Every structure is written in structure tokens, then in C-alpha cells.
């Protein structure tokens, strides 16, 4: 039981980095960017390839994240400069990235042998799961810290204004396109960082490891928002970690119940639909309660 | 040097289609620094189109627009923002709702300037200034610096938007029926605040209004637009002593139509 909790925390921390990346476009810019499903395996592919070619783990991880930022740049330019709708932009980049990832890895799957040094082997707590928690925890802390600082700078305020009211931001001299591209790059850089870390902890990079990342990210975000509504930016990011861990626990529980593996994705989709509808359901239930009370009062 | 020069400005909507609409038919307008112009005219006369052209939100295909010595004809909204500040009719339009009052003010303080990614968005030293400016509105907003601005009422938001527009004095201030969405009391307050802020920094201003009385009371020049043309242009002395009745008569002489007007409806 405790084992499940601990392994869920380790997995949740890495997922949280991706979910935070998705949060930037999804909630701050109000853009649905599906590039994630391509930039996540991109980060994994670059890092795995670099590690196998002998690059140090820190640099290899950094390259992975930078690759993701580049993918974000492509999506951002397609969306802002060529005015392609956000959903289509993501699909385009994601589709193209499939080939890019294949080029980088040379085959569908690259495994990291036990003697390959990863960022997780930089620490040694005597247990791989705890190593992941330590490194993942440090990473996620750095990421949140950096984002909180950035989104409170002059430029960061500008980026948030773009998501809020584009006529207003333009009227104040903010270049909406540039700001969106910057956030696209940050977002996909983080998603790729998460993919890079995932490859290192799992010991392999796989072409198909991006499938389902968006569902995980959205679930983590929505769970966080259901847990606590209306939070400041920094606190919201912290609750996303909790959301990711909870989602991981739910999945562990589902697996434990022995759900048919073929039905898993259907299950995840239904669960996410339920999460998305939950705020509305809560509101409805509350309204029914209030109406019932009011009816009794009016008798 | 004039503050604003508009030369031979034409605007067409849906040009080349059966719906072609020649919304501005050759506007020539020169504003001297410090002029405060009230613009009136019937619905669809082209008032907003004129302001949008000056601000850059509608591209100009025929004519020229200069602010000071700079030709801005082909500059976009963001580029012109260092010269122009704007307040819209909709109180929601001028602020970023999920940002706090102080964040909105800080944002506007850097209107048109480069934004660093190392400098704090809201600076400690500015808070005192913001508090003082907000206090001068008399709306009790000085204690709500860290409240999300979306939580403020329409009138409060519009007052803050005006403050934002003048925090860093623009070369040109554009107001498009900026009091029209407010109740009469708040509308009067915001109008007085406008006059105060404009006078304090001697800001060149274009203000669209449907309120004849406001058009007469405020500003030192009055322009009447009709079907995309400037029909009446009264400066200084000519504007003094004019009444709403005079205005309505002038309008009828120029356009052959009655002007439907809030001031008439209200009286
Ligand atoms: N984006 C647009 N597309 C097509 N036609 C437009 C557009 N904007 C304005 N028009 C037309 O241009 C003409 C002038 O409109 P404008 O909004 O400038 O009028 P206005 O003087 O501001 O009127 P109001 O007092 O109602 O605000 C109108 O006939 C209007 O229908
Ligand atoms: Mg108008």
C-alpha cells in the first residue's frame, strides 16, 4: 500500500512537470495545444539518443527540454503568424514530430543500459524510487519557482494579459504573437523535460510514449482545480503536483482492480469526462438543495 | 507641430462586394497639442471607424495618419501604443480581468515600452503612487490594490482604465463612448475625472459621445460626423455658449435629419 503511494508520488512528480507545461497554454493563454503528444516523446528521444552517444545526463536533459521549446516555437509560429487554429496547429506539429522522433532515435525504441548514467543516478538514496522522488522533487520545485518569478516580471505580466484580454494587451503595446510564442516554447520545453526525465527513470524512450499525455495533464489540472478553486498562480502549480499524484493513484487502483487492459483508455477518457463535468454537477446539486430549501420556506 | 494629422482618410468595409460600405469619405483633421475634441454624430456616422483607424485596429488603405512628426499609417495597434492610450465603451475591454488592480496599473505604466523578463512586474516603489492615484478617484480602491480587477464594478473599472490610460501621458487619448455603459451618476463622475486627468497633463484627446450636454460642457472643440464626413467643426469661441438646441439645429441643417440623442431622450 505504502509502496503504491510512494511510486505514485515519484511518477506524479514527473507528470506534474508536463501538466504544468500544459497548464501554461491551456489556462494562461486559453489555447488548446496538442503539441504535447509529440514534444513529450521528443524530449525522451533526444535525451535517450544523447545519453547513448555519451553526453552527460544534465546536458542530455537540457537538450531534451530545448528540443521541446523548438517544437513549441513551430506550433507558436503556425498558430500566430499563419493564423492556423490552435487545435490544428498541435495536430500538425505532433504529426511531424512522429517522424522527427523516429529520425532522432533511428528506431521505435531506444533502451538505456544499466551502466548509462542518468540524472537520477546523480543521487544515491539506495532505492531507485526515492532517487526519482528526490530528483523529480528538486526539478519540479525549480520549475515552479522559475515560473512564478517569470510570470511576475514585466514580460510575464504581459503574457498573462495576452491570455486575459488581447485587445487590451495590444492597446498597451504588447506584441500578442510574440508573447504567445514565448509561452508555447516554455510550455513545450517543460513537457519535453518531463518526457526526458520519464525516459531516464523508465530506462527507455519509445515512439509511442506520448500517447495519452494530454489526458494525464488535463486530469491533473482538473483534479487540482476541483480540490481548490481560485488560487494564485504559484499555489495552483503546487496543487497540480497533488492532482498528478492523485491521478496516478487512481490509475494504480484501477489496475489493481484488474480492469481489462484493453479497456484502460476508454476508462481514462470516461474518467476525464467525469472530472471535467464535476464542477457543473457540484453546482447543480447545490442549486437543487437551495431550491428545495427555498420551496419549504415558501410553503 | 500638430499633435495629430489625418489626411484624406477613406475607409471601406467589404469593398468590392454588394455590401460595400464607404464608412469614411475623406476625413481631413488636424489637432493642435492639448486640443480636447468631442465627436458627435448619429449611429453609423463613422465615429468609431475614425477612432479605430487612428488607433490602428482597422488598417488604413487610403489616406495618411501622423501623430506628432511620426507617420503611423502602416503601424499596428501595439506599435502605436507608445503614442496612443485608449478607453473603450465596454468597461471590461480596457483591463485584464484575472490580473490584480496593481498589475493592471503596472502593465499600463509601461504602455508601448519594452518589457524586461528580469524586472519585477509590480514595483514596490510604484505602490505608493498607485495608492495615491486610486485614492484621488474617491472610490475606495486604494485598499484594493491586490484584488482581481474583474471583481470591480463597471464604473470602478472604467475609472481605473482612465487612470491607466493617463499614468504615462500619451500623445493622444482616444475615448469611444467611454461613459455610455455607466449609470448617469457614475457616468458624470467618470466624465469629470476625464476632464481632470486630461487637463492635468494637457493631453490631446478625441472623445466620442452621444451625450450632447457632455459634448458642450467638455473639451475645447466639437466635431460632428455625418455619413463618413465631418459636417460641423467648431473651435474655441465658436463652441462657447452653444446649447443642445443649437447643436440639433446645426445637425439638421447639415444632414437633413433629426439627431437621435440621449440628451434629448433624457430631457
Ligand atoms: N467591422 C465592420 N465591418 C463592416 N462594416 C462595419 C464595420 N464596422 C463598422 N461598419 C459600418 O461602418 C459604418 C460606420 O460605423 P461606426 O461604428 O464607425 O459608426 P459610429 O459612428 O461609431 O456609430 P455608433 O454611434 O452606433 O457607435 C456603419 O455603417 C457600420 O455598419
Ligand atoms: Mg461607435
Amino acid at each position: 500500500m505504502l509502496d503504491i503511494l510512494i511510486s505514485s508520488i515519484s511518477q506524479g512528480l514527473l507528470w506534474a512537470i508536463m501538466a504544468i507545461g500544459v497548464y501554461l497554454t491551456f489556462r494562461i493563454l486559453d489555447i488548446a495545444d496538442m503539441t504535447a503528444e509529440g514534444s513529450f516523446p521528443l524530449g525522451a528521444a533526444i535525451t535517450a539518443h544523447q545519453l547513448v552517444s555519451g553526453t552527460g545526463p544534465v546536458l542530455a536533459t537540457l537538450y531534451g527540454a530545448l528540443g521541446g521549446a523548438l517544437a513549441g516555437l513551430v506550433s507558436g509560429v503556425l498558430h500566430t503568424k499563419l493564423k492556423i487554429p490552435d487545435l490544428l496547429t498541435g495536430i500538425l506539429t505532433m504529426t511531424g514530430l512522429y517522424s522527427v522522433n523516429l529520425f532522432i532515435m533511428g528506431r521505435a525504441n531506444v533502451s538505456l543500459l544499466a551502466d548509462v548514467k542518468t540524472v537520477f543516478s546523480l543521487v544515491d538514496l539506495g532505492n531507485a524510487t526515492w532517487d526519482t522522488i528526490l530528483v523529480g522533487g528538486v526539478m519540479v520545485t525549480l520549475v515552479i519557482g522559475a515560473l512564478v518569478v517569470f510570470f511576475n516580471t514585466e514580460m510575464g505580466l504581459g503574457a498573462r494579459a495576452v491570455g486575459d484580454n488581447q485587445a487590451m494587451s495590444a492597446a498597451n503595446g504588447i506584441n500578442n504573437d510574440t508573447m504567445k510564442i514565448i509561452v508555447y516554447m516554455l510550455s513545450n520545453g517543460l513537457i519535453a523535460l518531463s518526457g526526458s526525465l520519464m525516459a531516464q527513470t523508465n530506462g527507455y524512450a519509445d515512439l509511442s510514449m506520448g500517447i495519452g499525455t494530454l489526458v494525464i495533464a488535463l486530469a491533473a489540472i482538473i483534479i487540482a482545480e476541483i480540490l481548490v478553486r481560485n488560487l494564485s498562480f504559484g499555489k495552483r502549480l503546487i496543487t497540480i503536483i497533488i492532482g498528478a499524484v492523485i491521478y496516478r493513484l487512481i490509475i494504480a487502483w484501477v489496475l489493481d482492480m484488474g480492469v481489462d487492459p484493453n479497456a484502460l483508455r476508454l476508462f481514462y477518457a470516461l474518467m476525464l469526462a467525469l472530472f471535467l463535468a464535476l464542477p457543473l454537477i457540484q453546482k447543480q446539486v447545490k442549486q437543487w438543495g437551495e431550491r428545495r430549501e427555498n420551496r419549504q420556506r415558501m410553503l | 507641430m500638430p499633435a495629430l494629422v489625418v489626411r484624406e482618410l477613406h475607409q471601406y468595409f467589404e469593398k468590392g462586394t454588394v455590401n460595400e460600405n464607404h464608412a469614411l469619405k475623406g476625413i481631413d483633421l488636424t489637432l493642435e497639442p492639448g486640443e480636447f475634441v468631442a465627436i458627435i454624430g448619429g449611429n453609423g456616422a463613422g465615429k468609431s471607424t475614425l477612432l479605430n483607424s487612428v488607433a490602428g485596429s482597422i488598417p488604413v488603405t487610403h489616406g495618411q495618419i501622423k501623430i506628432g512628426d511620426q507617420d503611423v499609417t502602416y503601424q499596428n495597434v501595439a506599435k502605436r501604443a507608445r503614442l496612443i492610450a485608449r478607453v473603450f465603451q465596454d468597461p471590461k475591454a480596457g483591463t485584464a480581468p484575472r490580473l490584480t488592480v496593481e498589475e493592471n496599473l503596472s502593465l499600463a505604466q509601461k504602455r508601448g515600452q519594452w518589457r524586461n523578463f528580469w524586472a519585477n512586474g509590480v514595483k514596490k516603489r510604484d505602490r505608493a503612487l498607485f495608492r495615491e492615484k486610486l485614492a484621488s478617484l474617491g472610490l475606495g480602491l486604494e485598499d484594493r490594490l491586490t484584488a482581481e480587477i474583474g471583481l470591480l464594478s463597471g464604473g470602478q473599472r472604467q475609472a481605473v482604465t482612465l487612470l491607466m490610460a493617463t499614468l504615462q501621458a500619451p500623445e493622444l487619448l482616444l475615448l469611444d463612448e467611454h461613459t455610455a455603459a455607466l449609470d448617469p451618476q457614475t457616468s458624470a463622475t467618470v466624465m469629470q475625472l476625464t476632464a481632470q486627468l486630461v487637463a492635468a497633463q494637457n493631453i490631446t484627446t478625441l472623445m466620442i459621445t452621444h451625450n450632447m450636454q457632455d459634448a458642450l460642457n467638455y473639451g475645447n472643440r466639437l466635431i460632428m460626423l455625418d455619413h463618413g464626413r465631418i459636417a460641423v467643426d467648431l473651435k474655441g469661441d465658436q463652441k462657447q455658449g452653444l446649447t443642445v438646441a443649437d447643436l440639433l439645429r446645426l445637425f439638421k441643417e447639415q444632414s437633413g435629419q433629426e439627431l437621435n440623442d440621449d440628451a434629448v431622450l433624457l430631457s
Side-chain angles (χ1 to χ4, degrees):
Chain A
M1 186 59 216
L2 192 64
D3 277 357
I4 294 185
L5 181 65
I6 290 171
S7 77
S8 294
I9 290 176
S10 77
Q11 184 87 15
L13 283 171
L14 302 191
W15 277 357
I17 296 178
M18 169 188 64
I20 288 170
V22 171
Y23 182 82
L24 298 185
T25 44
F26 184 56
R27 284 298 189 222
I28 297 210
L29 287 190
D30 203 10
I31 277 177
D33 177 30
M34 289 173 60
T35 314
E37 306 244 331
S39 48
F40 186 83
L42 174 66
I46 294 177
T47 301
H49 174 257
Q50 288 292 324
L51 286 175
V52 169
S53 330
T55 311
V58 173
L59 260 189
T61 307
L62 197 66
Y63 289 154
L66 285 178
L70 226 60
L73 175 67
V74 172
S75 285
V77 169
L78 288 177
H79 175 55
T80 57
K81 299 298 179 195
L82 302 186
K83 310 269 179 251
I84 298 174
D86 51 358
L87 271 176
L88 296 183
T89 314
I91 292 174
L92 288 177
T93 314
M94 179 176 92
T95 306
L97 280 176
Y98 189 87
S99 294
V100 173
N101 293 339
L102 196 51
F103 279 132
I104 293 172
M105 299 203 292
R107 53 187 183 278
N109 185 301
V110 170
S111 47
L112 304 171
L113 300 175
D115 62 334
V116 171
K117 281 239 175 316
T118 69
V119 279
F120 300 104
S121 48
L122 294 176
V123 295
D124 189 8
L125 299 177
N127 169 318
T129 313
W130 285 106
D131 289 351
T132 308
I133 291 182
L134 179 61
V135 175
V138 170
M139 288 284 198
V140 106
T141 309
L142 287 178
V143 163
I144 292 182
L147 288 177
V148 168
V149 169
F150 173 72
F151 280 103
N152 281 302
T153 62
E154 289 174 1
M155 190 183 273
L157 278 191
R160 280 158 61 201
V162 172
D164 255 20
N165 182 345
Q166 294 194 46
M168 179 266 192
S169 54
N172 279 289
I174 294 166
N175 187 323
N176 289 346
D177 288 357
T178 309
M179 281 299 173
K180 283 185 197 169
I181 292 173
I182 290 174
V183 177
Y184 258 102
M185 291 177 71
L186 276 177
S187 162
N188 284 287
L190 290 177
I191 294 163
L193 172 63
S194 170
S196 159
L197 296 177
M198 201 61 83
Q200 296 180 65
T201 176
N202 289 345
Y204 65 86
D206 191 285
L207 257 193
S208 64
M209 67 194 282
I211 301 175
T213 45
L214 263 180
V215 171
I216 296 171
L218 293 177
I221 294 170
I222 304 293
I223 292 174
E225 290 176 344
I226 291 173
L227 282 182
V228 208
R229 233 172 272 167
N230 298 330
L231 274 184
S232 67
F233 178 66
K235 288 186 194 139
R236 170 57 70 219
L237 297 189
I238 294 171
T239 56
I240 289 178
I241 305 179
I242 301 171
V245 173
I246 291 179
Y247 187 60
R248 178 67 225 182
L249 278 171
I250 295 175
I251 290 179
W253 173 68
V254 169
L255 290 173
D256 196 52
M257 286 203 319
V259 172
D260 179 356
N262 291 331
L264 270 185
R265 286 200 190 280
L266 178 62
F267 189 86
Y268 295 159
L270 288 175
M271 195 157 57
L272 183 56
L274 178 70
F275 288 154
L276 285 166
L278 210 55
L280 185 74
I281 296 172
Q282 278 176 336
K283 208 169 115 190
Q284 274 293 345
V285 169
K286 192 164 152 239
Q287 206 179 49
W288 283 330
E290 281 169 358
R291 279 195 189 161
R292 190 175 326 114
E293 253 173 57
N294 191 40
R295 242 179 253 128
Q296 275 159 3
R297 231 190 340 250
M298 291 294 136
L299 280 179
Chain B
M1 191 199 324
L4 170 75
V5 179
V6 177
R7 280 180 54 208
E8 291 173 40
L9 177 65
H10 288 260
Q11 283 292 7
Y12 298 84
F13 291 108
E14 314 192 38
K15 195 171 187 181
T17 71
V18 285
N19 292 324
E20 176 170 308
N21 184 348
H22 195 173
L24 292 182
K25 300 172 183 144
I27 299 283
D28 284 285
L29 177 65
T30 303
L31 260 58
E32 294 307 324
E35 266 189 316
F36 181 171
V37 185
I39 303 178
I40 57 173
N43 291 117
K47 305 180 295 295
S48 297
T49 305
L50 174 60
L51 251 63
N52 286 333
S53 308
V54 173
S57 40
I58 305 179
V60 171
T61 46
H62 191 296
Q64 186 189 38
I65 297 173
K66 281 171 81 174
I67 298 174
D69 57 353
Q70 302 188 48
D71 186 337
V72 299
T73 312
Y74 301 112
Q75 292 181 0
N76 63 19
V77 175
K79 199 83 194 285
R80 292 185 205 192
R82 67 197 143 62
L83 305 169
I84 297 177
R86 248 188 131 172
V87 183
F88 302 88
Q89 175 174 353
D90 178 2
K92 292 197 183 81
T95 49
R98 291 183 297 175
L99 267 55
T100 63
V101 172
E102 61 179 14
E103 285 171 339
N104 272 282
L105 286 164
S106 299
L107 212 65
Q109 197 179 27
K110 297 220 64 136
R111 192 191 63 250
Q113 296 174 18
W114 171 250
R115 290 163 207 272
N116 286 322
F117 59 84
W118 56 85
N120 268 335
V122 180
K123 293 168 191 72
K124 271 206 200 85
R125 60 180 143 84
D126 289 336
R127 287 215 174 94
L129 173 77
F130 293 165
R131 201 165 281 133
E132 177 194 322
K133 296 248 178 195
L134 287 169
S136 72
L137 301 179
L139 297 169
L141 292 174
E142 58 277 17
D143 301 322
R144 299 187 62 186
L145 277 178
T146 54
E148 276 183 23
I149 211 162
L151 301 174
L152 269 47
S153 76
Q156 290 173 329
R157 273 175 93 164
Q158 206 64 330
V160 176
T161 310
L162 261 175
L163 211 56
M164 286 164 61
T166 52
L167 212 46
Q168 178 213 137
E171 298 295 314
L172 186 63
L173 176 63
L174 303 178
L175 310 168
D176 190 346
E177 298 187 49
H178 71 301
T179 64
L182 310 175
D183 67 64
Q185 179 95 49
T186 318
S187 163
T189 314
V190 169
M191 215 28 250
Q192 275 157 22
L193 174 68
T194 308
Q196 240 174 52
L197 291 171
V198 166
Q201 304 184 84
N202 201 29
I203 300 170
T204 314
T205 304
L206 280 172
M207 175 180 80
I208 298 177
T209 177
H210 276 288
N211 186 318
M212 296 292 132
Q213 202 57 58
D214 280 351
L216 291 172
N217 292 351
Y218 297 97
N220 43 28
R221 185 169 170 187
L222 191 148
I223 285 175
M224 186 184 287
L225 277 189
D226 179 47
H227 291 96
R229 289 196 178 87
I230 294 179
V232 176
D233 184 352
L234 302 170
K235 295 184 195 177
D237 287 350
Q238 299 169 298
K239 194 189 160 201
Q240 292 280 315
L242 223 56
T243 63
V244 171
D246 294 335
L247 270 188
L248 295 177
R249 187 177 41 74
L250 261 175
F251 186 86
K252 200 167 179 191
E253 277 171 22
Q254 290 298 327
S255 68
Q257 289 173 347
E258 296 285 346
L259 183 61
N260 50 345
D261 148 45
D262 296 350
V264 177
L265 297 177
L266 289 172
S267 58

